[in-house]
Amino acid sequence: MSKKIIIAEKDSIGALVEDNKVSEFFVSKGDVLLGDVYLSRVDNILPSIEAAFVDVGMHDRMGFIHTDDIQGKGNLKDKVKPNQKLIVQVVKEPTGHKG
C-alpha cells in the first residue's frame, strides 16, 4: 500500500492519498487543534535546548518541536536547517501566549 500526503500551501488544504485514491481531505480553518497536521517552516533553531521553533502559518504563534520528535540521526543542526519545511502534527494544544 502506498501512502502520500499532498499539501496545497496557498489554499490551506491537504489530502492523504492511499493507493492513488484520496482517503482523507483536510481544510485549515485557522484554528490550531490537537491532532492537526501542518506543513511548517523552521524559523529558529535553539541548540542549547535541543529544539526548534516552526512557523505553522498562525501569524501570532510559533510551534515548538524537540529534537527527539524529529526523524533522523545526529544532533538538532544535523536534522533541520533554517527555512526547511517539515510536516508536523499538533500533540499539545497552545496555552496562553505559547504555541
Side-chain angles (χ1 to χ4, degrees):
M1 176 186 292
S2 68
K3 291 183 181 184
K4 59 185 167 182
I5 297 174
I6 300 173
I7 299 173
E9 292 179 74
K10 182 179 176 184
D11 299 317
S12 299
I13 59 174
L16 175 61
V17 178
E18 297 179 278
D19 294 327
N20 294 322
K21 293 182 182 178
V22 174
S23 61
E24 293 186 56
F25 190 75
F26 308 93
V27 178
S28 174
K29 296 178 183 145
D31 298 328
V32 176
L33 301 173
L34 196 62
D36 282 356
V37 176
Y38 293 90
L39 179 61
S40 67
R41 181 186 55 79
V42 176
D43 184 69
N44 193 9
I45 299 172
L46 304 169
S48 61
I49 60 171
E50 287 293 309
F53 285 99
V54 293
D55 182 353
V56 294
M58 307 306 288
H59 300 291
D60 57 342
R61 294 187 183 180
M62 290 282 177
F64 176 88
I65 188 166
H66 191 270
T67 189
D68 292 341
D69 297 321
I70 303 171
Q71 291 182 347
K73 294 183 180 181
N75 64 30
L76 182 63
K77 286 193 173 187
D78 294 332
K79 294 180 181 183
V80 294
K81 305 284 183 233
N83 295 315
Q84 177 180 339
K85 292 185 179 181
L86 294 176
I87 295 176
V88 297
Q89 184 172 27
V90 178
V91 295
K92 185 176 178 185
E93 292 181 347
T95 56
H97 65 283
K98 294 181 180 181

